[in-house]
Amino acid sequence: METEREADLLEEEPPQENGVIQSTQGLYSSTSPPASDDEPFSTYFEEKVPIPEDVTQMFSFRKLWAFTGPGFLMSIAYLDPGNIESDLQSGAKAGFKLLWVLLGATIIGLLLQRLAARLGVVTGMHLAEVCNRQYPTVPRIILWLMVELAIIGSDMQEVIGCAIAFNLLSMGRIPLWGGVLITIIDTFVFLFLDKYGLRKLEAFFGFLITTMAVSFGYEYVMVRPDQGELLKGMFLPYCENCDSAQMEQAVGIVGAVIMPHNIYLHSALVKSRQIDRGNKKEVKEANKYYFIESTIALFISFLINVFVVAVFAEAFYDKTNIEVNAKCNASGSPHTDLFPLDNSTLQVDILKGGVVLGCFFGPAALYIWAIGILAAGQSSTMTGTYSGQFVMEGFLNLRWSRFARVLLTRSIAIFPTLLVAIFQDVQHLTGMNDFLNVLQSMQLPFALIPILTFTSLTSIMDDFANGLVWKIGGGVVILVVCAINMYFVVVYVTSLNSVALYVLVALLCIAYLSFVCYLAWQCLIALGVSCLDVSCLGNRVSNNCHAVFIEEQPAYDT
């Protein structure tokens, strides 16, 4: 019976009324997991990792090891070149003062990733698949397009980060476009590593994370930051004498850390373990171990980010261009022309960051920095490609061959990146990076609102739906994060100083805010604000409207 019901869900969209998703008894239809042993195709799940049975212990390291993998792949998004650039700019502009913002953003990210993992574990489907089954056609397509934009923006930063690393390692001999082509080729090669086993693929990502930790850790040990100032900046939520540029950098940290496509990615990666979703005890246990693993993974990523912030805070905070120019000239660096002969404060990006490290601490520091950036770019490019596949397959219900899916999802992101690389100088990418950060910030509501909506529904999550604390806390966190990122967008747009662009942005904002309000409306109904349910307005005393969400049947076989 369960298999027949799943087939019906695949073939039929939930009925709609007034643009709202309807089930026969409530607002959302029940979503059951697909049969775990009967999946018609796979991207990442051609094998499932078995979970050892150990009924005698409350906690088992063997089980934790079996669940280890998805959280570390998810954590790579917290270490992509966009995050690294945000870290080094934070250190150079504000010293240690904004470390507490990085800590807070990472904790918020962990709470949001918990929701994503729980959705995948409980339902057996990732967020894009649930959106496909629960939202009407037009909102679903708009949502897919918005998420694809976020993935393209992130992928452009990651691929260009790799290209800059190749440029630094070759002392400028490999141009930006050449680095992009190399990254495209090796990404295709690495993406097929999972043919040799899922655990081997996860081990490879672990190796890349270790490479980043060693590379940036080396820079940290070499610079020897002031530990007292570091701890003060991390645990005292205060920014003394901070100007507008430093406050904007604080907002940029939040935008760089919390990325929309990572919510979709994590909800899919957790499907890679053998879990009997008809057994609530196993589901509860999986949720526990995935949360522990995600906490460990994000703690490691936080330490790596702290390494980068601390290095640039200690060595380059309040440095001027003329000081750096003189030092680079004395060291014989071929990149002296990157720093004009003026007394303005040093502005750094990934390229200049490696150069100034080489000027002040020797060529080894530059090459080790470039290796770390290459590991960050390569790993995040691969996970970004997985995100693209999951999102496209989930929203469009694609049943293509593996190669066709990889080719399409890579092409969507690679072509604009290659065009930028051909026509843009490697030394003038900061403006484009700011634009890409704004683009991703605007897409955050299209991941955060759906994940809170669906994890709050008992018709989807059964006993694992968000409680009152998580509903209120999650709503407040998402509201704050979206508000912070919208401020970042406003600051960027006002800096353009173009009336024509202001008019264009105003028109786009009307459409954008209308769609966000639609998603927020549905989310509020999911959170229990029954007065917003238009299907109940004409019959408030009806038993069907007493509780807005009434399951058609439980999400589990009982």
Side-chain angles (χ1 to χ4, degrees), residues 44-45 48 67 69-75 113 116-117 120-121 126 198 201-202 205 262-273 277 290 293 383 386-387 390:
Y44 176 77
F45 316 116
K48 300 259 187 185
F67 281 106
F72 280 89
L73 268 68
M74 168 273 295
S75 72
Q113 299 299 158
V121 170
H126 54 75
L198 179 58
L201 176 69
E202 292 173 346
F205 279 103
N262 211 33
I263 304 295
Y264 288 87
L265 174 67
H266 197 198
S267 66
L269 295 176
V270 296
K271 294 169 58 180
S272 59
R273 268 53 182 174
R277 292 182 174 83
Y290 273 133
E293 185 232 3
T383 54
Y386 278 123
S387 297
F390 294 139

Side-chain angles (χ1 to χ4, degrees), residues 212-223:
M212 285 183 266
V214 172
S215 298
F216 301 133
Y218 168 84
E219 311 282 2
Y220 180 87
V221 171
M222 182 178 56
V223 173

Side-chain angles (χ1 to χ4, degrees), residues 14 84 128 174 180 199 216 265 345 351 381 398 441 445 466 469 523 526:
I84 300 301
I174 299 179
V180 169
R199 296 298 268 176
F216 301 133
L265 174 67
T345 303
L351 175 67
T381 298
L398 292 182
S441 295
N466 295 329
V469 173
C523 183

Side-chain angles (χ1 to χ4, degrees), residues 51 63-70 273 275 285-286 289-290 293:
I51 307 300
K63 283 191 175 181
L64 178 60
W65 177 248
F67 281 106
T68 297
R273 268 53 182 174
I275 302 168
E285 184 180 68
Y289 282 109
Y290 273 133
E293 185 232 3

Side-chain angles (χ1 to χ4, degrees), residues 187-382:
T187 298
F188 271 106
V189 173
F190 291 143
L191 276 172
F192 287 91
L193 282 177
D194 60 0
K195 286 291 187 182
Y196 297 96
L198 179 58
R199 296 298 268 176
K200 291 184 176 64
L201 176 69
E202 292 173 346
F204 178 69
F205 279 103
F207 167 74
L208 293 176
I209 293 174
T210 303
T211 301
M212 285 183 266
V214 172
S215 298
F216 301 133
Y218 168 84
E219 311 282 2
Y220 180 87
V221 171
M222 182 178 56
V223 173
R224 289 179 292 197
D226 185 323
Q227 301 302 304
E229 288 297 313
L230 186 150
L231 293 174
K232 179 182 175 182
M234 189 180 298
F235 295 109
L236 289 181
Y238 178 66
C239 191
E240 186 177 1
N241 299 322
C242 283
D243 57 22
S244 59
Q246 292 168 329
M247 297 307 295
E248 289 172 17
Q249 185 60 42
V251 173
I253 290 173
V254 178
V257 168
I258 302 173
M259 305 179 73
H261 72 278
N262 211 33
I263 304 295
Y264 288 87
L265 174 67
H266 197 198
S267 66
L269 295 176
V270 296
K271 294 169 58 180
S272 59
R273 268 53 182 174
Q274 286 182 359
I275 302 168
D276 180 5
R277 292 182 174 83
N279 185 329
K280 294 186 180 182
K281 182 181 177 182
E282 283 196 25
V283 173
K284 183 177 180 180
E285 184 180 68
N287 285 330
K288 177 182 74 173
Y289 282 109
Y290 273 133
F291 182 67
I292 294 172
E293 185 232 3
S294 296
T295 303
I296 296 171
L298 289 187
F299 176 72
I300 293 172
S301 72
F302 172 70
L303 288 182
I304 295 174
N305 282 308
V306 168
F307 289 162
V308 178
V309 174
V311 165
F312 283 84
E314 182 69 28
F316 306 114
Y317 176 50
D318 265 354
K319 283 282 193 299
T320 62
N321 281 322
I322 197 168
E323 290 178 89
V324 176
N325 183 287
K327 189 71 176 179
C328 288
N329 195 39
S331 67
S333 170
H335 301 287
T336 305
D337 59 325
L338 289 175
F339 311 100
L341 291 169
D342 57 44
N343 284 315
S344 59
T345 303
L346 175 67
Q347 300 290 326
V348 287
D349 51 31
I350 291 177
L351 175 67
K352 292 181 181 178
V355 171
V356 294
L357 284 172
C359 293
F360 280 76
F361 301 102
L366 183 151
Y367 289 120
I368 292 173
W369 168 264
I371 290 171
I373 295 298
L374 181 61
Q378 190 61 72
S379 57
S380 54
T381 298
M382 293 167 64

Side-chain angles (χ1 to χ4, degrees), residues 408-420:
L408 178 61
T409 52
R410 288 307 291 153
S411 299
I412 288 175
I414 285 299
F415 278 133
T417 308
L418 191 57
L419 290 175
V420 167

